[in-house]
């Protein structure tokens, strides 16, 4: 009898724990945030308007209707892309993944609703899926554009630059190619003025960038500190049509405006670069410092 008694005690002790485990094992959907819950009355025909964002994954649950339409309120806008999801509760319950093709207010309408039936709409933001998609995009190759302006310290390309040349202005633009969220390349054209020499120089440059550290700033947006290595080639500079070169190294600070530390979207940056002049007839004042600020966009 003792083994049977021991077995009974074990069962009595284990049963509450198993029940508790079953209760705790209920599916928890903590990654979805409820944005809207709206009831359409039996005679309601007016849509409900909600602002949706592009590149965000939404879930819609509909009770009491067989179809859903999500249309931008702006004339000519493209309807959101809907993906029906198989649901278990039965007829009258539909579930969709919703992908807005543009950011802005959208009118949500329930169709194919039986007369006299009250329908309910619940709209969720899928935080985990949105983050996964964005992280996947961030790991890929992205193309963008950057424009900057600033100043440089005085240096000489040839003896016509003056005994103690003043600094001048810089302006440049480039096409950006980013691989992942750490490395990038900038290929573009720059223009520098030389007030004492009386001419300007056009440079074709190739710059490699590498992110060193990142820090979350206001609103969870990301700021990056990185290093750069640039080679610039002069295109027929001055009356002697010189083709000098400059090798530069520097640092840049980038503030991104995208949420959740993402690298895409608009950003502003500040940079400093120290360069050494080569392939030029001048033999002194061959070093230059550049200070620029600009804006970049990675779609």
């Amino acid at each position: 009898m003792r083994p049977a008694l021991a077995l009974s005690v074990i069962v009595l002790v284990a049963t509450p724990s198993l029940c508790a485990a079953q209760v705790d094992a209920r599916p928890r959907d903590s990654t979805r945030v409820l944005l809207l819950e709206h009831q359409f009355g039996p005679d309601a025909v007016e849509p409900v308007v909600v602002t949706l964002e592009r590149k965000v994954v939404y879930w819609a649950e509909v009770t009491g209707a067989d179809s859903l339409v999500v249309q931008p309120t702006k004339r000519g806008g493209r309807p959101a892309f809907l993906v029906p999801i198989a649901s278990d509760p039965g007829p009258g319950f539909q579930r969709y993944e919703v992908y807005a093709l543009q950011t802005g207010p959208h009118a949500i309408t329930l169709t194919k609703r039986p007369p006299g039936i009250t329908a309910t709409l619940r709209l969720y933001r899928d935080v985990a899926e949105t983050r996964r998609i964005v992280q996947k995009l961030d790991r890929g190759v992205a193309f963008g554009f950057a424009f900057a302006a600033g100043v440089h310290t005085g240096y000489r390309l040839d003896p016509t630059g003056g005994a103690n040349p003043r600094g001048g202005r810089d302006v440049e633009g480039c096409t950006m190619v980013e691989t992942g969220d750490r490395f990038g390349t900038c290929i573009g054209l720059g223009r520098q003025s030389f007030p004492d020499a009386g001419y300007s120089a056009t440079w074709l440059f190739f710059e490699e960038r590498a992110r060193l550290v990142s820090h979350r700033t206001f609103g969870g947006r990301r700021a990056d500190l990185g290093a750069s290595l640039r080679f610039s080639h002069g295109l027929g500079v001055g009356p002697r049509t010189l083709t000098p070169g400059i090798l530069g190294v520097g640092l840049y600070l980038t503030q991104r405006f995208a949420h959740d530390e993402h690298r895409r979207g608009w950003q502003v940056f500040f940079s400093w670069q120290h360069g050494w002049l080569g392939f030029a007839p001048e033999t002194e004042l061959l070093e230059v410092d550049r200070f620029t600020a600009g804006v970049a966009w990675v779609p």
Side-chain angles (χ1 to χ4, degrees):
M1 295 297 294
R2 289 184 180 179
L5 179 61
L7 179 61
S8 301
V9 172
I10 293 174
V11 170
L12 290 175
V13 172
T15 298
S17 300
L18 292 173
C19 293
Q22 290 177 355
V23 172
D24 291 340
R26 295 193 308 263
R28 297 181 179 180
D29 204 357
S30 59
T31 63
R32 295 181 194 161
V33 179
L34 180 63
L35 301 179
L36 171 71
E37 182 171 354
H38 182 78
Q39 282 193 340
F40 293 84
D43 301 322
V45 295
E46 292 295 324
V48 59
V49 178
V50 62
T51 298
L52 301 181
E53 299 179 40
R54 186 169 170 265
K55 297 183 180 180
V56 172
V57 181
Y58 298 93
W59 278 71
E61 293 180 351
V62 178
T63 303
D66 292 330
S67 186
L68 176 71
V69 176
V70 183
Q71 175 72 41
T73 57
K74 184 178 179 180
R75 180 176 298 180
R78 294 180 295 171
F81 185 66
L82 305 180
V83 180
I85 304 298
S87 56
D88 297 331
F93 181 86
Q94 302 293 331
R95 182 177 289 154
Y96 304 86
E97 286 186 9
V98 182
Y99 300 88
L101 301 181
Q102 59 192 67
T103 299
H106 286 66
I108 303 180
T109 307
L110 301 184
T111 61
K112 299 182 181 179
R113 187 154 50 107
I117 296 298
T118 297
T120 302
L121 166 70
R122 294 182 180 88
L123 183 67
Y124 301 84
R125 179 188 179 115
D126 195 327
V127 178
E129 185 66 12
T130 299
R131 184 184 299 116
R132 185 192 68 79
I133 292 175
V134 171
Q135 290 176 347
K136 182 178 179 180
L137 291 174
D138 281 353
R139 289 192 295 267
V141 177
F143 297 86
F145 303 94
F147 302 92
V151 297
H152 66 268
T153 58
Y155 69 106
R156 284 207 301 258
L157 294 175
D158 61 30
T160 63
N164 187 20
R166 293 174 294 162
R169 295 187 297 272
D170 280 50
V171 62
E172 66 184 37
C174 76
T175 299
M176 301 169 56
V177 182
E178 294 187 345
T179 304
D181 66 344
R182 184 169 294 274
F183 299 103
T185 301
C186 202
I187 303 173
L189 291 173
R191 187 82 171 170
Q192 282 186 334
S193 65
F194 294 87
D196 293 321
Y199 56 75
S200 296
T202 300
W203 303 90
L204 173 66
F205 66 86
F206 179 90
E207 180 174 295
E208 290 291 331
R209 299 177 177 179
R211 177 174 61 87
L212 301 177
V213 295
S214 296
H215 180 71
R216 295 183 65 177
T217 57
F218 62 93
R221 296 171 176 85
R222 199 178 85 185
D224 299 333
L225 176 65
S228 63
L229 175 65
R230 172 185 291 204
F231 178 75
S232 303
H233 176 72
L235 303 178
V237 178
R240 304 187 186 189
T241 61
L242 303 174
T243 56
I246 295 180
L247 179 64
V249 296
L251 299 173
Y252 65 88
L253 178 64
T254 300
Q255 174 62 63
R256 304 178 185 271
F257 292 105
H259 292 277
D260 301 326
E261 303 183 0
H262 303 155
R263 66 181 171 99
R264 295 177 182 260
W266 288 99
Q267 52 190 265
V268 295
F269 60 89
F270 307 90
S271 67
W272 160 79
Q273 199 166 77
H274 185 81
W276 295 268
L277 178 68
F279 310 109
E282 191 50 75
T283 58
E284 60 180 358
L285 298 178
L286 305 182
E287 297 185 19
V288 58
D289 288 288
R290 301 175 56 252
F291 303 90
T292 58
V295 60
W297 178 61
V298 181

